[in-house]
């Protein structure tokens, strides 16, 4: 089945009737349904499927082994996300295998399609959790204790979904089998629109991270408490939002976002007692993201002090700039007739793996330039073109 038809097959799974788009979160029923669908689709292609100790699914074409050519992406989404971020790389991998099989190709190396768990951090906060656990770049105890917005730990959610969280942790054996990793992904900005090309090869991933700001004050009555008598944690929280925009603008090329803010108890006529918010900050280059966060933190501390509130700030994840393997980039670009290279402001499992194995990415044009929202899009012709490009690259690498 073509990649675009495979996307149609899963178009009803995890639709979010409240937010719009899709909400498919790690170890929830929608993501579970997609996992089952993937296993069935992979088995129909004759692939042998196994789930590793961290909940990542591997579908092997032929015998598993070292120096494998591995491709894949993720099936989870952000809350209310689009249809392509993640699934496009998975369906394109299945399409590529089917196309290669149809022409009688047999890989000369071990070959696998992988689905990584919790790429977005949409449920447990830390992105690329499956690949971070696999590579040992997050401590397993810390991961197990991560909580979703309802207070359910990753360990609890994983065991409810039939996994054994005690086995979470670095998996040197699985890692040592990957020879090269290629992730195809929908483009998440306007890069390919501007370049007028359906496909590009990834060059770099911007440095990025997430910080949690927690403010506590005094919950109180919205009518009976005079403005001058308040310790309202929403005031320093608002200062973070404003400082994030101001400081990011001043960097020239940095980005800072507060996309999630939770007041407790959360009543219209209630001054909050606490506010938690999450800052997503990304600046190209070394140490500039930390400098941006330090500036925003300073503004937050000043605002908290002025309001008589307490503040704590903690880093939940951070990833340095990634430059994809130059040799692999050249190979991909040449194999595809000289397609352009493109940097990205989005994080990916390929970025996590790049510190350990030669990794590369292909991007498929997104005519809206919008991602992490229901308007994310790719034309059928570009989706199928991307899958053909992936097949060509995989054939070359595994010959
Ligand atoms: C994932 O898409 C991210 O960049 O946050
Ligand atoms: Mn993604
Ligand atoms: Mn994403």
């Amino acid at each position: 089945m073509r990649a675009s038809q495979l996307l149609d097959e899963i178009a009803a799974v995890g639709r979010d009737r409240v937010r719009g788009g899709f909400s498919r979160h790690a170890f929830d029923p929608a993501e579970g349904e997609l996992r089952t669908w993937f296993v069935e689709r992979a088995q129909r292609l004759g692939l042998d499927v196994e789930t590793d100790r961290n909940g990542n699914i591997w579908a092997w074409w032929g015998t598993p082994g070292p120096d494998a050519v591995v491709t894949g992406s993720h099936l989870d989404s952000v809350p209310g996300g689009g249809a392509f971020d993640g699934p496009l790389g998975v369906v394109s991998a299945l399409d590529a295998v089917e196309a290669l099989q149809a022409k009688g190709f047999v890989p000369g190396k071990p070959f696998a399609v992988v689905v990584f768990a919790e790429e977005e951090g949409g449920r447990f906060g830390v992105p690329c959790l499956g690949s971070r656990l696999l590579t040992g770049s997050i401590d397993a105890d810390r991961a197990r204790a991560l909580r979703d917005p309802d207070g359910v730990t990753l360990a609890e959610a994983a065991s409810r979904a039939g996994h054994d969280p005690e086995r979470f942790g670095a998996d040197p054996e699985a890692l040592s089998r990957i020879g090269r990793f290629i992730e195809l992904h929908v483009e998440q900005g306007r890069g390919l629109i501007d370049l007028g090309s359906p496909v590009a090869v990834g060059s770099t991933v911007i440095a990025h991270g997430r910080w949690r700001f927690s403010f506590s004050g005094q919950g109180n009555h919205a009518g009976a408490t005079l403005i001058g008598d308040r310790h309202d944690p929403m005031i320093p929280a608002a200062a973070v939002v404003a400082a994030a925009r101001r400081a990011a603008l001043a960097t020239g090329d940095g980005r800072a976002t507060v996309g999630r803010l939770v007041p407790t108890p959360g009543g219209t006529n209630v001054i909050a007692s606490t506010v938690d918010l999450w800052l997503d900050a990304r600046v190209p280059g070394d140490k500039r993201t930390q400098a941006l966060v330090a500036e925003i933190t300073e503004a937050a501390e000043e605002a908290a002090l002025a309001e008589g509130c307490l503040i704590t700030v903690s880093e939940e994840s951070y990833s340095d700039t990634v430059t994809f393997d130059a040799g692999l980039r050249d190979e991909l670009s040449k194999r595809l007739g000289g397609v352009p290279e493109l940097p990205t402001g989005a994080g990916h499992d390929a970025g996590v793996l790049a510190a350990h194995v030669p990794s590369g990415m292909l991007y498929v044009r997104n005519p809206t330039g919008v991602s992490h929202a229901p308007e994310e899009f790719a034309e059928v012709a570009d989706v199928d073109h991307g899958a053909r490009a992936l097949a060509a690259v995989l054939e070359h690498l595994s010959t």
Side-chain angles (χ1 to χ4, degrees), residues 310-328:
L310 297 174
I311 170 175
T312 60
V313 182
S314 56
E315 179 184 298
E316 295 203 333
S317 63
Y318 176 72
S319 305
D320 242 325
T321 308
V322 170
T323 302
F324 288 116
D325 185 86
L328 186 53

Side-chain angles (χ1 to χ4, degrees), residues 5 15 18 31 67 79 82 124 136 166 190 213-214 224 252-253 273 290 316 328 349 381:
Q5 295 170 309
R15 284 218 176 255
V18 178
E31 197 241 16
D67 199 26
F124 293 101
E166 287 312 310
R190 305 187 46 84
F213 287 65
S214 299
D253 53 2
S273 55
Q290 286 85 349
E316 295 203 333
L328 186 53
D349 293 302

Side-chain angles (χ1 to χ4, degrees), residues 74 76-78 85-86 119-120 185 188 346-348 371-372 376:
H74 60 99
D76 64 303
S77 75
V78 295
D85 179 356
E119 191 268 356
E120 297 288 5
H185 205 280
Q188 296 181 273
H348 299 285
S371 186
H372 284 186
E376 180 182 275

Side-chain angles (χ1 to χ4, degrees), residues 90-315:
V90 176
V91 298
S92 300
L94 293 171
D95 178 328
V97 169
E98 188 171 338
L100 293 173
Q101 288 177 340
K103 66 187 250 191
F105 177 76
V106 178
K109 289 180 177 181
F111 187 119
V113 177
V114 64
V115 175
F116 283 110
E118 178 67 319
E119 191 268 356
E120 297 288 5
R123 181 167 180 190
F124 293 101
V126 175
C128 298
L129 207 45
S131 55
R132 281 184 209 267
L133 278 165
L134 176 123
T135 54
S137 53
I138 184 170
D139 175 67
D141 282 334
R142 186 184 158 225
R144 277 188 281 266
L146 292 170
R147 286 183 191 276
D148 75 3
D150 296 323
V152 178
T153 64
L154 174 66
E156 288 161 352
S159 27
R160 280 178 209 164
H163 304 270
D164 178 3
E166 287 312 310
R167 297 187 67 236
F168 282 175
D171 192 344
E173 197 188 320
L175 183 58
S176 72
R177 292 199 296 211
I178 310 174
R180 302 202 237 184
F181 178 64
I182 308 293
E183 179 169 2
L184 177 146
H185 205 280
V186 69
E187 215 245 312
Q188 296 181 273
R190 305 187 46 84
L192 281 166
I193 304 175
D194 297 341
L195 290 166
S197 169
V199 171
V201 171
S203 55
T204 56
V205 178
I206 195 171
H208 60 288
R210 301 180 182 188
W211 286 261
R212 177 183 182 145
F213 287 65
S214 299
F215 298 99
S216 63
Q218 177 58 59
N220 214 329
H221 193 289
T225 318
L226 294 179
I227 293 292
D229 290 345
R230 299 181 180 204
H231 304 290
D232 180 352
M234 192 58 84
I235 302 304
V240 174
V241 176
R245 169 59 65 91
R246 196 172 54 239
L249 260 180
T251 65
D253 53 2
R255 303 112 211 232
T257 307
V258 178
R260 185 173 165 218
L261 184 149
V262 181
T264 300
T268 304
N269 55 349
V270 183
I271 298 165
S273 55
T274 65
V275 174
D276 291 297
L277 66 84
W278 284 262
L279 172 71
D280 178 310
R282 315 185 187 211
V283 195
D286 288 339
K287 306 271 180 251
R288 294 180 66 215
T289 304
Q290 286 85 349
L292 173 63
V293 174
E295 191 178 335
I296 297 166
T297 302
E298 200 176 312
E301 285 168 347
E302 270 174 29
L305 187 67
E307 186 69 13
C309 291
L310 297 174
I311 170 175
T312 60
V313 182
S314 56
E315 179 184 298

Side-chain angles (χ1 to χ4, degrees), residues 345-389:
H348 299 285
D349 293 302
V352 174
L353 290 177
H356 305 269
V357 293
S359 302
M361 291 194 71
L362 297 180
Y363 298 118
V364 172
R365 177 165 53 196
N366 173 355
T368 66
V370 172
S371 186
H372 284 186
E375 292 78 13
E376 180 182 275
F377 191 59
E379 299 285 356
V380 169
D382 285 355
V383 167
D384 293 335
H385 183 96
R388 285 294 169 267

